[in-house]
Amino acid sequence: VAQLPADHRSGFVAVIGRPNVGKSTLFNRLLGQKIAITSPKPQTTRDQVLGILTREDTQIIFLDTPGIHQPRHKLGEYMVTVATETIEDADVVLWLVDINVPPTEEDQQIGTLLHQLQQKGTLPPLVLGGNKLDLFQGDEGALAVRLDAYASLLPWLAQGEEPLRRVALSALTGAGVDELVALLRELLPLGPRYYPADQVTDLQTRFIVAELIRERALHLLQQEVPHSIAVVVDEFVPRSENLTYISAVIYVERPSQKGIVLGEGGRMIRRIGQEARREIEELLGTRVYLELWVKVWEKWRRRENMLRRLGYAT
Ligand code: GDP
Ligand code: MG
Ligand code: K
């Protein structure tokens, strides 16, 4: 076992932000491996994703919280509960925003939640990450004004009780990302490595595979099917050292959606399968035999036992 430096720091960072601000992109950049799912559509990451960044003097365990938004159904309520617990249990909270736009209603909701936790005394130290710097048109002054607009959603910081730690960055180009890591590190306690250095994720492979399939489906289906699809990997069987058999079900809410996912003569489902298979093969480093099924499960979002089956509830 390698000797760690005396100032080795470690801990948990909860990443929070409204959909599409770039949480998954940042996560992928920091960890150098595709485990969180990115897509141009909001709400792609519904689950808490755990990833681990290991450096010589630091180990950061990132928790990618699901979006905070107004709960409209059971899944929404569950997401808010998980996000809240994740934040309260973390050593540091990273709030990611898009600096190219003023705070939205969803940002205000996040600000409100953070304020509630601050008043309860359960909010860990906070870092504001202004993402998508590569797209920002204004000068330094305009950047500061924009970041202030976000800071004003956190009244206790605006009142100067505590400085707001902030950094502008681009998850896409990597600008400012080292600065961000350094800032997070300063806020972590001294501590050991919790995970082996080469372990970038704790996630079950099955779950990652299901997410890759869901991502491919969302990309290919464009606007035709809303976010009401879920993917469950039923079978995951290594057949040999270089062949894995995977059987997965894509759940849709309505029979009409089933037809769309299948496509004419099964063309769409074959395409989803082909593209997903390529990504899964890259992930697993084996050839993959992928079997995809489409099933209708009405209103699955509202169903507790389905949530349990998907691992959203216990
Ligand atoms: P999430 O919903 O917060 O996880 O956001 P994603 O990581 O899925 O990103 C949403 C979209 O924003 C994707 O199209 C990303 O490529 C894009 N994006 C993320 N970070 C940046 C960035 O720093 N610069 C630019 N230009 N685009 C970004
Ligand atoms: Mg995401
Ligand atoms: K997204």
Side-chain angles (χ1 to χ4, degrees):
V1 178
Q3 189 74 30
L4 293 177
D7 65 343
H8 189 273
R9 292 177 184 273
S10 55
F12 295 86
V13 173
V15 184
I16 186 172
R18 64 175 172 78
N20 275 338
V21 295
K23 297 181 296 296
S24 301
T25 306
L26 176 65
F27 211 64
N28 289 335
R29 168 162 292 280
L30 284 170
L31 304 173
Q33 185 176 317
K34 186 168 183 172
I35 55 168
I37 305 301
T38 60
S39 105
K41 296 180 186 190
Q43 290 295 147
T44 309
T45 310
R46 285 189 314 230
D47 305 78
Q48 179 174 310
V49 177
L50 184 72
I52 302 151
L53 172 80
T54 303
R55 300 249 166 106
E56 174 71 20
D57 60 357
T58 318
Q59 185 168 70
I60 306 179
I61 298 139
F62 287 96
L63 306 170
D64 184 12
T65 62
I68 302 285
H69 60 108
Q70 254 146 6
R72 278 181 220 101
H73 43 66
K74 282 244 179 295
L75 181 59
E77 284 169 30
Y78 180 71
M79 284 162 62
V80 175
T81 305
V82 169
T84 305
E85 285 170 1
T86 302
I87 291 167
E88 290 179 318
D89 289 342
D91 294 297
V92 180
V93 176
L94 170 61
W95 182 17
L96 212 60
V97 301
D98 180 348
I99 52 164
N100 298 286
V101 290
T104 67
E105 209 182 307
E106 284 166 305
D107 289 309
Q108 285 171 19
Q109 284 168 16
I110 291 173
T112 302
L113 177 82
L114 293 174
H115 192 203
Q116 282 165 2
L117 297 182
Q118 191 267 342
Q119 287 179 319
K120 244 171 90 185
T122 56
L123 183 70
L126 182 74
V127 173
L128 178 68
N131 192 34
K132 308 200 185 184
L133 181 60
D134 57 298
L135 297 178
F136 193 71
Q137 299 291 343
D139 58 11
E140 292 276 318
L143 185 62
V145 167
R146 181 54 52 76
L147 287 170
D148 281 344
Y150 282 94
S152 74
L153 300 178
L154 310 169
W156 72 99
L157 293 174
Q159 285 156 18
E161 282 175 37
E162 199 191 307
L164 174 61
R165 300 167 195 91
R166 51 173 86 178
V167 57
L169 69 141
S170 169
L172 200 67
T173 69
V177 169
D178 283 342
E179 209 182 320
L180 171 67
V181 171
L183 201 53
L184 296 173
R185 180 180 186 276
E186 277 173 31
L187 296 168
L188 292 176
L190 291 171
R193 273 184 193 160
Y194 295 110
Y195 294 88
D198 59 359
Q199 190 160 352
V200 293
T201 177
D202 225 13
L203 278 183
Q204 291 191 1
T205 311
R206 267 176 188 245
F207 168 71
I208 303 173
V209 165
E211 283 289 283
L212 286 172
I213 296 167
R214 203 158 66 88
E215 184 194 41
R216 280 299 96 200
L218 289 181
H219 269 286
L220 289 171
L221 292 166
Q222 301 294 336
Q223 305 301 325
E224 291 176 272
V225 171
H227 287 95
S228 50
I229 67 167
V231 176
V232 173
V233 170
D234 273 343
E235 282 187 83
F236 188 98
V237 187
R239 283 267 164 86
S240 70
E241 238 172 61
N242 51 27
L243 180 67
T244 310
Y245 169 81
I246 296 170
S247 169
V249 183
I250 299 177
Y251 287 106
V252 295
E253 280 185 318
R254 287 192 294 280
S256 61
Q257 294 170 340
K258 181 174 176 175
I260 293 170
V261 175
L262 287 172
E264 259 186 57
R267 226 171 284 154
M268 179 53 82
I269 189 81
R270 271 202 303 279
R271 241 186 108 191
I272 294 169
Q274 279 162 6
E275 294 196 6
R277 180 173 52 79
R278 246 174 267 141
E279 299 229 0
I280 299 166
E281 286 181 336
E282 212 170 287
L283 177 82
L284 300 179
T286 73
R287 282 188 303 122
V288 165
Y289 185 86
L290 177 63
E291 217 160 32
L292 284 184
W293 307 86
V294 186
K295 291 184 185 168
V296 180
W297 198 318
E298 269 172 60
K299 306 261 188 245
W300 65 265
R301 280 166 194 253
R302 286 175 213 278
R303 289 196 186 167
E304 293 257 354
N305 53 356
M306 180 61 177
L307 296 184
R308 268 191 215 105
R309 193 189 147 104
L310 293 171
Y312 294 128
T314 50

